[in-house]
Amino acid sequence: MKISKKITSLLSIGILSLPWTQSFANEATSIDKIASPVSVEQLTEQLQSAGVESIYNRTRTVISDSYIDNYNVEDNNTVMVHNNGNPLPTDMFEKKQGNELFAVLITDEYGVQTPTYYFSNSKVLMDDTLEEIVEDLSSQSNENKGARVVGSNYVSRNYKWDFYRKLATGSTIQQGSLATRVTFERIHSNANVDYKKSSVWDITARSEVKCRSSERINNTFVRLDAGSGSQKLLDFAPETSSQSLFTASLDSLFSPTSWTIEAGGYTTKELVSSLSNRYGRWEFKARPGFQTSWVTKPGVRVANSTGSLYLKYSQTLDLNYSDHGTGVVGITVPDR
């Protein structure tokens, strides 16, 4: 598949189109000194030397789900929205917890666009880190590929976090990474829920946690909130389980949606999720042994009576020498 390339900068926000054939980087990234971000001129020169055309625009844009939804990528092309190593202005955070949004990769596969958002707890990125991000995000989006069509019954959004820790020597090392795919499937468009006409959505968050240095995962916590007063939480899954292979199911009001969980590295504990307070919460705790990666997939069933669907997603990682969190990220999906 032939992919055209171009870069567009919005003041310093660029849209960078790159090949979609990179591999996932498994090694930890060590940053001996947090450097200044690469300049527009340096980045342009690097890209032009690789045959990438450069175009600039003087408009500054706040990155949001609606902005990404409405950005049209050329057929079978991939663009990267970035700020030359600086954080992007965004309204996606309900709580930042030290993280910033540094890039968004949007790929078009024959008319279907899928975004992947890249976050990190770094202040700025070094000049070669943008290329590393593209490798990670390309792999993340390829592994978690799924249709994302605004206004349809199925929406998929991908997220990637890299977490760093400062050592006693003054250097900074990457401790872990988290790649999450949140999928929204509308199973009913006009249901009667508590005497209100509502859409009903099944939402799952598939997350892969990886250690990037000589550490182990102790546990992770995940929380999914129905974030709007026009929404009602109908069900959550999975329930507590110590099995290595089991089935999770959302089955309130309508036909069940079920999936298999392969919990080889952890046990699952549902942590007092609350239908009345509209959230599901889980702990995934390491089994005996040296656990360096695992995949989890909790989910919720939500009814929405008015406007867009709004989900709040958060996850924390307890690694052997450090704790990290995503903060609270708000995800908006067009609905009613």
Side-chain angles (χ1 to χ4, degrees), residues 149-198:
V149 182
V150 174
S152 76
N153 291 324
Y154 186 87
V155 176
S156 174
R157 303 188 196 275
N158 299 326
Y159 302 85
K160 173 72 188 299
W161 285 264
D162 280 336
F163 298 112
Y164 296 85
R165 179 170 70 97
K166 192 169 185 178
L167 304 178
T169 59
S171 62
T172 303
I173 189 168
Q174 186 180 354
Q175 298 293 91
S177 67
L178 169 66
T180 298
R181 176 191 179 188
V182 183
T183 58
F184 301 78
E185 184 174 5
R186 185 164 48 196
I187 63 172
H188 206 294
S189 298
N190 208 24
N192 190 331
V193 179
D194 290 346
Y195 305 103
K196 296 178 182 179
K197 295 296 183 181
S198 303

Side-chain angles (χ1 to χ4, degrees), residues 18 22 26 34 40 52 57 60 75 77 86 132 137 155 174 180 192 217 222 224 237 257 261 263 270 296 320 322:
L18 289 162
Q22 305 291 345
N26 284 307
I34 298 296
V40 174
V52 179
N57 187 303
R60 186 168 177 82
D75 290 346
N77 201 17
N86 285 301
E132 296 171 2
L137 295 188
V155 176
Q174 186 180 354
T180 298
N192 190 331
I217 305 170
V222 181
L224 301 174
T257 297
I261 294 178
E270 182 269 311
T296 61
N320 213 27
S322 58

Side-chain angles (χ1 to χ4, degrees), residues 38-212:
V38 61
S39 68
V40 174
E41 292 76 14
Q42 289 174 315
L43 183 59
T44 303
E45 184 178 346
Q46 293 171 7
L47 296 172
Q48 286 179 336
S49 67
V52 179
E53 182 182 357
S54 179
I55 305 171
Y56 293 105
N57 187 303
R58 293 280 179 186
T59 304
R60 186 168 177 82
T61 303
V62 173
I63 302 302
S64 63
D65 284 328
S66 61
Y67 171 80
I68 299 300
D69 286 343
N70 292 317
Y71 186 85
N72 293 318
V73 180
E74 294 178 4
D75 290 346
N76 301 326
N77 201 17
T78 301
V79 299
M80 180 176 172
V81 182
H82 66 96
N83 195 15
N84 300 295
N86 285 301
L88 286 161
T90 182
D91 63 1
M92 297 176 63
F93 287 108
E94 291 248 347
K95 181 180 179 182
K96 296 180 81 169
Q97 202 169 336
N99 298 299
E100 298 286 355
L101 174 66
F102 282 97
V104 186
L105 212 67
I106 316 170
T107 181
D108 178 276
E109 288 284 337
Y110 304 101
V112 178
Q113 292 184 189
T114 303
T116 302
Y117 298 85
Y118 173 82
F119 302 90
S120 177
N121 61 346
S122 296
K123 298 300 182 184
V124 296
L125 301 181
M126 296 177 68
D127 56 2
D128 59 349
T129 306
L130 285 173
E131 297 177 7
E132 296 171 2
I133 290 173
V134 174
E135 293 183 4
D136 280 2
L137 295 188
S138 296
S139 175
Q140 158 72 0
S141 292
N142 279 327
E143 291 173 357
N144 288 334
K145 191 176 294 182
R148 176 197 155 277
V149 182
V150 174
S152 76
N153 291 324
Y154 186 87
V155 176
S156 174
R157 303 188 196 275
N158 299 326
Y159 302 85
K160 173 72 188 299
W161 285 264
D162 280 336
F163 298 112
Y164 296 85
R165 179 170 70 97
K166 192 169 185 178
L167 304 178
T169 59
S171 62
T172 303
I173 189 168
Q174 186 180 354
Q175 298 293 91
S177 67
L178 169 66
T180 298
R181 176 191 179 188
V182 183
T183 58
F184 301 78
E185 184 174 5
R186 185 164 48 196
I187 63 172
H188 206 294
S189 298
N190 208 24
N192 190 331
V193 179
D194 290 346
Y195 305 103
K196 296 178 182 179
K197 295 296 183 181
S198 303
S199 302
V200 178
W201 294 79
D202 284 347
I203 306 168
T204 58
R206 180 193 182 276
S207 296
E208 181 180 8
V209 181
K210 286 189 176 182
C211 289
R212 297 298 186 182

